[in-house]
Amino acid sequence: MKKYNIRQLAVAFFAVFSFSACTDEFAEINTDPNIVKDAELDHLLTFAEKQLRDVGHMWFWDNHHYYMTWTQHSVPQGGNSDEFVTINNLIGQKSLLYKSLMPNLMEIREQIDNMPDESKIKRERMRAITYPILIYQAIKVTDMYGDIPYLEAGRGRYEQLLNPKYDKQSDLYDIWISELNTVIKTLTEDITDAEGNVVEQSVYGSKGKAEIIYSSDWAKWAKFANTLKLRLAIRLTHADPTRAKTIAEEALSNSAGIFEGPADEFRRLPKTDDRGPDNEMHYTTPHGAYEFMKFMCDTQDPRTKNYFEPNGFTDEVVQKFESSATATLPDIIKNAPTEMHRRYIGLPVSPDKVDDDAYAQFFTPVKLDGDNSYRTASRLHYRYFHPAKRSGNGYYIYMYYSYGEMCFNIAELIERLGINGDAEEWYNKGVRASLEMVDMLASAAQVEQHEDLTETEITDYLAMPQVAYTGDKDTKLEKIAIQQQINFFRDPFQSFVYSRRTGFPKKGSDLLPWEPFILENGTKARLPRRISLGDPGEFNRTNWEQAMSAQGFTPMTNNILLLNTERMWIDENSPEFGHETFD
């Protein structure tokens, strides 16, 4: 048999898995090279689930600050330069799938498949939940790259398959729906042996606790698998609305159910000493974007104080400016209609405004008497993203798929595609769930300005004209989109994918307008809509080249025009960002 070294296998989509610090422990308890004990399966699953804590280091490895800038959530302290669309280091999602999740989850399947029948049948549900975890991450990878290896990926360790074929993006959706349906059946129906006896299913660890998301609660896993189909459906609304409607209707009628509330969310509640990932967001000193923050202040959004830090213009400071003989209070502070508008101000996103004297009050600190100076703009709240900042003692809750996201998706599917249901009811559920989720995350993180959310704040917010579910169909879809975008604030990747598909925020909107990105030469900037797959190496070059050619992609390009115009199948019918137009 031909031998391959570890480096070669790793190049072939990271087919060799690593156990990190667990390797020695695995070696000690492994008594049979062909059969892994339950304890080993426990470690494999726990390790894989912990790898989903990508939200933090993705600020570096997937440059999440790019996404927040492109969706007009945030702006670097000094404003955007003409290079704000320059792409570097966007490998995080792909690496997480192929290097961390796939090797460990496929190892679980492989080891269970090689057990004796009487052992294997007890672990069918343990095996089943490896699929929705993998699909959850694979969706993100195809979101940015288009066609990717999936069905044949990760087989290098077992079959020496070093050149997996690239599955078409449209085919991946069929594959995943089929896999999820099989998972749901396994998790909800009795599993019987050859004599028809119901077989009690094993769980991960003592009382299922080694499975750190749902504690081996198979009913909750079935709900997640079924609810994940709604994330697939929402992505298809422009590419294949008929299929999107079919998937959504099947999911909503499936007896496995969908998330019924926050308790069903796909999230991880770590120990209270978990300070969360040490993300890199603070290196760009991101501040809120002007229009985004203005909308939140106009609607008195309770999430504002958790997302952003207030500027230094307290009542006392304002009085000092007003009584000073030399200092001048900036107009945006002096004319603020409410205290919230005064304390929470965003930066313009367009690069041409950075050196425009008319916008100096946003970018240049204002001096008071002496050495004290103040910035008008508000930074993103560091503690909300990383509780350890400023010697914080809070903890980080890893939110992967929230109840609020699901509610907004259902509201949009009803409003856009006409599936059965009450869009307003689901929209209102989504708003409430998002407000409560942010309150929970901020409380856990011990955000400095956090105050417990009240029922009055929720009802008052829902009654705001810009928030209330009123208006024509287009207005309602825009309101859903705005709330989903606010909901995704701590998940920049999902926000980017959502904005790319819907085109919201929208240029010229009376609610939350898109601000065109104007470069210093006066031209409008285009945004990338996908990321190039890097060089695959010689093992799989032929399949890679065929996939690039079939999609009409220029291989390995970082040219923004090409990354904007050479679209993936899922993105072909979507509007431009901001519903922008180009000559």
Side-chain angles (χ1 to χ4, degrees), residues 55-125:
V55 180
H57 68 256
M58 286 299 174
W59 284 90
F60 179 78
W61 291 111
D62 214 44
N63 269 309
H64 272 182
H65 65 88
Y66 285 163
Y67 301 135
M68 293 198 81
T69 299
W70 297 340
T71 58
Q72 302 195 351
H73 280 86
S74 72
V75 182
Q77 179 170 283
N80 285 318
S81 68
D82 277 8
E83 288 74 40
F84 81 101
V85 291
T86 301
I87 297 175
N88 290 301
N89 207 35
L90 289 171
I91 63 170
Q93 304 294 351
K94 178 162 61 76
S95 178
L96 178 60
L97 174 66
Y98 292 116
K99 192 174 183 180
S100 296
L101 294 181
M102 186 172 285
N104 289 278
L105 297 174
M106 292 187 69
E107 178 67 9
I108 291 173
R109 298 177 197 171
E110 188 75 13
Q111 296 295 348
I112 290 176
D113 289 346
N114 284 299
M115 289 180 178
D117 289 345
E118 62 271 18
S119 298
K120 179 165 56 179
I121 196 171
K122 295 178 181 178
R123 294 164 178 79
E124 289 192 16
R125 289 180 178 170

Side-chain angles (χ1 to χ4, degrees), residues 37 63 70 89-90 95 98 136 139 205 221 230 309 325-326 343 350 366 377 419 424 465 478 522 551:
K37 292 183 177 181
N63 269 309
W70 297 340
N89 207 35
L90 289 171
S95 178
Y98 292 116
Y136 165 86
I139 294 171
W221 272 104
L230 293 175
E309 298 178 0
T326 57
R343 302 297 307 280
S350 186
V366 183
I419 67 174
E424 181 176 8
E478 182 176 8
Q551 295 173 94

Side-chain angles (χ1 to χ4, degrees), residues 22-266:
C22 299
T23 307
D24 293 340
E25 184 177 358
F26 288 166
E28 291 174 5
I29 63 175
N30 186 16
T31 57
D32 187 325
N34 298 312
I35 300 175
V36 171
K37 292 183 177 181
D38 288 347
E40 292 175 313
L41 295 179
D42 297 344
H43 283 290
L44 287 167
L45 195 278
T46 303
F47 178 82
E49 289 183 325
K50 283 189 174 181
Q51 298 314 295
L52 291 175
R53 57 181 291 168
D54 68 335
V55 180
H57 68 256
M58 286 299 174
W59 284 90
F60 179 78
W61 291 111
D62 214 44
N63 269 309
H64 272 182
H65 65 88
Y66 285 163
Y67 301 135
M68 293 198 81
T69 299
W70 297 340
T71 58
Q72 302 195 351
H73 280 86
S74 72
V75 182
Q77 179 170 283
N80 285 318
S81 68
D82 277 8
E83 288 74 40
F84 81 101
V85 291
T86 301
I87 297 175
N88 290 301
N89 207 35
L90 289 171
I91 63 170
Q93 304 294 351
K94 178 162 61 76
S95 178
L96 178 60
L97 174 66
Y98 292 116
K99 192 174 183 180
S100 296
L101 294 181
M102 186 172 285
N104 289 278
L105 297 174
M106 292 187 69
E107 178 67 9
I108 291 173
R109 298 177 197 171
E110 188 75 13
Q111 296 295 348
I112 290 176
D113 289 346
N114 284 299
M115 289 180 178
D117 289 345
E118 62 271 18
S119 298
K120 179 165 56 179
I121 196 171
K122 295 178 181 178
R123 294 164 178 79
E124 289 192 16
R125 289 180 178 170
M126 294 175 68
R127 185 183 190 279
I129 68 169
T130 64
Y131 285 90
I133 298 173
L134 202 62
I135 292 169
Y136 165 86
Q137 183 60 27
I139 294 171
K140 291 185 175 185
V141 178
T142 190
D143 275 340
M144 299 308 294
Y145 297 105
D147 298 355
I148 59 171
Y150 180 75
L151 286 178
E152 292 184 356
R155 303 305 304 171
R157 174 178 171 80
Y158 311 108
E159 303 169 20
Q160 297 182 349
L161 176 60
L162 305 181
N163 58 337
K165 72 178 182 69
Y166 283 67
D167 296 297
K168 292 182 178 180
Q169 191 174 54
S170 57
D171 293 342
L172 287 168
Y173 279 75
D174 291 332
I175 292 167
W176 292 332
I177 291 298
S178 176
E179 288 182 341
L180 290 172
N181 284 336
T182 300
V183 167
I184 292 167
K185 182 177 181 180
T186 301
L187 294 174
T188 57
E189 296 183 3
D190 288 340
I191 296 172
T192 57
D193 60 19
E195 287 74 37
N197 301 311
V198 176
V199 178
E200 183 177 354
Q201 291 295 293
S202 299
V203 296
Y204 284 99
S206 175
K207 299 181 180 180
K209 298 299 183 180
E211 192 280 286
I212 58 177
I213 294 178
Y214 292 127
S215 298
S216 301
D217 185 328
W218 307 130
K220 285 187 180 292
W221 272 104
K223 282 184 183 180
F224 167 61
N226 194 42
T227 305
L228 192 56
K229 289 190 285 186
L230 293 175
R231 184 176 274 190
L232 292 170
I234 204 71
R235 280 161 162 73
L236 291 172
T237 55
H238 289 72
D240 192 341
T242 300
R243 187 163 26 156
K245 184 177 182 180
T246 299
I247 292 171
E249 289 177 335
E250 190 281 325
L252 292 172
S253 63
N254 194 298
S255 60
I258 55 176
F259 292 164
E260 296 178 29
D264 293 328
E265 290 172 329
F266 190 55

